[in-house]
Structures are given as C-alpha cells and as structure tokens.
Amino acid sequence: MSNPNPPLDREAKRRLAVIRHVEEVTGNVAMSCRHFGISRQAYYIWYRRYQAEGIEGLRTRSKRPKHSPNATHVEVVGKIIYLRQNYHFGPEKIAMYLKRYHDVTISKSGVWRILKRLDMGRLPASQRYKRHDRRWKRYEKQLPGHRVQIDVKFIEPIAGITGRRGGRNKYYQFTRSTTAPACVCCGSIRN
C-alpha cells in the first residue's frame, strides 16, 4: 500500500527544524535565523505556509514560472510537429517555411528546442536527409513511350575542308531515340 504522504525532503526537514527551534528553544525569530544563517523574511514565508498547510507546506516547490508570455504559441508548435512528421523537415527548413507561408518568425534554434523537448530531435534512419549524389533517382514517366533520349555528339571536321572561319567550325549531331512502349499490365515490349 502506497503512502499518501511521502517522506519530507532534506530542505523541508531543515525548514521544520528552524520553525521548531524558534517555538521550542529560543522563542526569538531573529536569534534563530542568525543561528541557521537565513533571513527573517524567508522564515516568515515558511512559517505562514506551515500555518496554512501544515508540514506539507514546507516541501520544496517548483520555481517554474506560472505564466510564460514569450512562450511559443500552441498553433505554431502544432505546425512544427506537422511539418516534422509529414515532410521530415529540419529546423532550418521549418523556420523558413513558417516565415514564408504563415508569416511566423521563429529561429531555427527555437524550432530545434521545441523538437528536442518533444523527443523529435532525430529522424529515423530511413527518413534522414541523403545527399543528392547519394540518392537513387528512378527515371519514370506515367505513360509508356513517353521517354525520349537525346544524344549530342561532336563531329570532327573532315581534313582539308575549311569552313567560314578557316577550319575552326564545330559540328554537332543530335540523335533522338524513344524507348519502345511497354505494356501497362505486364511490362512486355509492344511492336
């Protein structure tokens, strides 16, 4: 069975000792505060909390602010999550996208902190950015027979024949070829 009141932490025990020292030993707040090396203002804050809430009021409380006016809006955080999950954008690209399309200015380091806080700092290996020269790009058209290849060849001029500029002309041959259309259902080549 779990205890509804967990044991006091070290700081709460010290605060309780100061209050009991004033009540039981000296009866003088200033002397007890000097003995423990604390200010009287701190003692009276603890004492008021002790009177209002009992021993539970002496526990260490969070120093986190109750309101953060400069915090990133929930809508912006939602857009950052959406861009990360669906498009796998990095912090810099997310910041640029939000500025361009939503007129929201946020730094790339701010985007990174939000992603890190939400445990979205790293993409899975299958979704990480790959350099352009390492990507495998498949050339494919929607309809068979729509592929056209153009080859350009440099042709050496025939010896002894000079053109307008005395043999400095360059001649090129353009060759166009199309691949045979393949069957949509089975991929066999049609004639």
Side-chain angles (χ1 to χ4, degrees):
M1 189 161 136
S2 66
N3 187 1
N5 295 329
L8 292 176
D9 58 13
R10 186 176 183 180
E11 190 61 30
K13 287 179 183 176
R14 180 174 178 268
R15 292 170 186 163
L16 183 61
V18 172
I19 291 171
R20 287 197 176 146
H21 190 269
V22 170
E23 291 174 347
E24 299 169 2
V25 178
T26 63
N28 187 335
V29 174
M31 190 184 309
S32 294
C33 289
R34 265 195 308 275
H35 175 74
F36 284 98
I38 61 168
S39 67
R40 285 179 297 168
Q41 290 85 0
Y43 169 79
Y44 283 114
I45 290 171
W46 299 340
Y47 188 65
R48 280 192 294 273
R49 282 175 33 193
Y50 178 68
Q51 285 181 326
E53 302 173 33
I55 293 178
E56 292 299 315
L58 297 177
R59 290 189 185 277
T60 305
R61 297 183 178 182
S62 172
K63 293 178 176 62
R64 183 176 157 194
K66 292 178 177 63
H67 179 66
S68 299
N70 294 331
T72 307
H73 295 289
V74 177
E75 301 86 32
V76 176
V77 173
K79 289 175 184 175
I80 290 171
I81 293 169
Y82 178 80
L83 291 171
R84 182 64 162 194
Q85 287 178 339
N86 296 317
Y87 296 102
H88 311 299
F89 285 172
E92 191 168 356
K93 200 164 187 180
I94 290 174
M96 180 275 306
Y97 186 91
L98 291 174
K99 176 67 177 161
R100 180 179 287 173
Y101 296 108
H102 298 284
D103 200 30
V104 173
T105 304
I106 185 168
S107 67
K108 60 183 178 181
S109 60
V111 173
W112 172 249
R113 280 193 299 274
I114 290 169
L115 291 174
K116 188 139 177 83
R117 184 178 66 225
L118 298 170
D119 290 330
M120 299 175 74
R122 287 187 64 88
L123 288 171
S126 62
Q127 298 168 349
R128 287 196 195 123
Y129 176 80
K130 294 184 180 106
R131 289 180 37 177
H132 285 286
D133 60 345
R134 305 229 174 168
R135 290 184 196 171
W136 181 72
K137 188 174 180 183
R138 184 174 177 173
Y139 178 76
E140 185 175 303
K141 288 292 181 183
Q142 291 150 346
L143 294 174
H146 282 207
R147 293 179 287 230
V148 176
Q149 179 179 345
I150 298 178
D151 293 329
V152 179
K153 304 275 186 197
F154 172 70
I155 301 173
E156 285 285 333
I158 300 172
I161 299 178
T162 59
R164 287 179 291 182
R165 291 184 280 168
R168 293 187 305 188
N169 290 346
K170 295 189 177 183
Y171 299 97
Y172 298 95
Q173 174 185 348
F174 295 93
T175 307
R176 181 185 68 128
S177 63
T178 59
T179 58
C183 178
V184 177
C185 62
C186 64
S188 64
I189 297 175
R190 291 185 239 157
N191 291 335

